[in-house]
Amino acid sequence: MKDFVFHNPTKIIFGKGRISELGSEVRRTSRKVLLVYGRGSIKKNGVYDQVVDSLRTAGIEFVELPGVKPNPVLSKVHEGVELAKKEKVDGIVAVGGGSTIDTSKTIAAGFYYDGDIWDAFVGRYEVKRSLPIYVVLTLSATGSEMNMGAVITNEETKQKYAFVAPTSYPRVSIIDPSVQFSLPRIQTANGAADAISHVMELYFDGTPDVWIEDEISEGIIRAIIRSTDILMNKPDDYDARANLAWSATLALNGVTRTGRSGGDWSCHAIEHSISALYDIAHGSGLAIVTPAWMKYVYKEDIGKFARFAEKVFGVEESDEERAALEGIERLKNWFKSVGLPTSLEDVGISSTEIDKIVDNAAMRTPFGSLKRLEKEDVREILKLCV
Ligand code: NZQ
Ligand code: ZN
């Protein structure tokens, strides 16, 4: 187990009806906020009304920035920074999933930067200051509600990159699992695949002797699978929503990173190239890439892949290699069982596109820690995605 510092400053308020507490939380730092949200789901499921009621009751003024799209883009961030500066807001409230939260984190940083905040994504600017960020989560997937990362696509260069900064941690995130009853099945499944992948990227980074982390990680994945299976038939099962929500937060809030080497993140790097180019849902992209990556690298740490098969899927097989391969198959089949795509073809991407994806990913190769991947490795993995 490696040395670590664990410090996560985000306060989580979890439970049904808790959005009413938003205004009094925001009031600790802010009087006029930018209210950022997506393309309308919060107006249909009542979340918008709850948010606005709470802000008004607390006497918080707000200006709205609607229209954040999935796989959020830099131009929306620019629009938000301009509006935030013009309106002289002193805080940001993000209401939505990862796309809305990441857009908000980037606007919050861009508010204090005179250049183009894209600089933070390409290492030209280190974010040291952000507006205070408050979150009302409506989709459990990314963990962005309790981490310091943001992922944005530069639509001109087709780069989908992340920046991290301690000032990007939300001050408070409110997670009311019942507002996720309205999610389409595929979005629930996308969220589950993303959260599982976050755990796996850390679990398979090759660090030995992280027993407690491994147990926590396997437990999180089992809980995600169990709750998602229930939600596929009963989308308004509160306990399943609640368990999935908290599992997804824990998957990327630092808890599963402690004692490890920082994660592998190859699947994310490859997936970000796919969703940058073809605008598919991040979770769907991961369901395609992850089993292929596993097949390509399992020999690097065969015992760990066999353990994954046993602990997550109950595979009983004494031969390590057979167990490892069986675990990969079970994961892929589970993705299929919840309606996720597991090949590029499933999302309408032809194998003739592989070169384009490889070139995009190669802007950042080599990456990965279990196996360091060069451009040609990425091509081989993508061939396994067909
Ligand atoms: O636009 P709206 O109306 O909000 O609809 C959204 C959107 O269409 C809908 N939705 C959200 N909550 C809903 C709902 N529909 C009905 N009822 C609800 N309660 O769901 C759709 C997807 O939303 P989005 O925010 O795009 O999804 P997600 O949370 O999966 O975020 C994905 C983005 O986050 C990035 C991904 O790459 C992708 O761009 N990631 C961010 C990370 C982070 N900041 O830590 C890490 C991840 O690895 C990931 O890369
Ligand atoms: Zn992810």
Side-chain angles (χ1 to χ4, degrees), residues 39-41 98-99 102 138 144 147 149 160 179 182 198 268 272 282:
R39 292 174 157 185
S41 65
S99 297
D102 291 0
T138 67
S144 190
N147 70 38
K160 185 177 183 183
V179 307
S182 57
H198 295 155
H268 269 70
H272 283 168
H282 175 60

Side-chain angles (χ1 to χ4, degrees), residues 72-283:
V73 288
L74 185 60
S75 55
K76 194 74 193 178
V77 169
H78 290 157
E79 185 188 333
V81 171
E82 201 174 308
L83 184 60
K85 285 182 176 171
K86 183 173 135 243
E87 294 287 342
K88 298 189 172 56
V89 301
D90 57 5
I92 303 208
V93 171
V95 185
S99 297
T100 294
I101 303 170
D102 291 0
T103 300
S104 301
K105 287 174 172 176
T106 313
I107 295 168
F111 184 84
Y112 291 112
Y113 184 53
D114 287 335
D116 182 347
I117 193 60
W118 183 249
D119 288 349
F121 293 83
V122 288
R124 285 196 292 260
Y125 169 60
E126 188 187 349
V127 174
K128 292 235 167 88
R129 200 174 172 204
S130 303
L131 285 167
I133 301 155
Y134 296 85
V135 170
V136 174
L137 185 71
T138 67
L139 166 49
S140 288
T142 64
S144 190
E145 68 278 9
M146 200 179 182
N147 70 38
M148 58 168 161
V151 182
I152 294 291
T153 300
N154 181 330
E155 30 327 18
E156 279 173 20
T157 60
K158 296 285 179 198
Q159 289 165 301
K160 185 177 183 183
Y161 286 7
F163 85 93
V164 292
T167 57
S168 295
Y169 278 108
R171 300 284 168 118
V172 178
S173 284
I174 301 181
I175 305 174
D176 176 345
S178 69
V179 307
Q180 301 192 36
F181 292 169
S182 57
L183 278 170
R185 279 175 89 210
I186 187 64
Q187 294 298 357
T188 300
N190 280 331
D194 190 21
I196 288 175
S197 170
H198 295 155
V199 178
M200 290 178 64
E201 296 273 23
L202 291 153
Y203 182 84
F204 286 118
D205 79 349
T207 319
D209 300 321
V210 275
W211 309 322
I212 175 63
E213 289 310 322
D214 285 347
E215 296 285 348
I216 293 172
S217 302
E218 291 148 0
I220 291 174
I221 298 178
R222 287 197 304 268
I224 292 171
I225 290 176
R226 179 175 173 182
S227 41
T228 307
D229 282 342
I230 294 170
L231 292 169
M232 288 301 106
N233 297 316
K234 206 166 170 274
D236 59 352
D237 186 304
Y238 180 81
D239 287 315
R241 282 282 171 213
N243 278 283
L244 178 57
W246 190 229
S247 300
T249 303
L250 292 174
L252 198 56
N253 74 347
V255 164
T256 58
R257 182 190 294 264
T258 48
R260 298 195 193 276
S261 314
D264 182 278
W265 301 108
S266 298
C267 294
H268 269 70
I270 298 171
E271 194 298 310
H272 283 168
S273 287
I274 300 176
S275 50
L277 291 166
Y278 306 100
D279 210 8
I280 65 165
H282 175 60

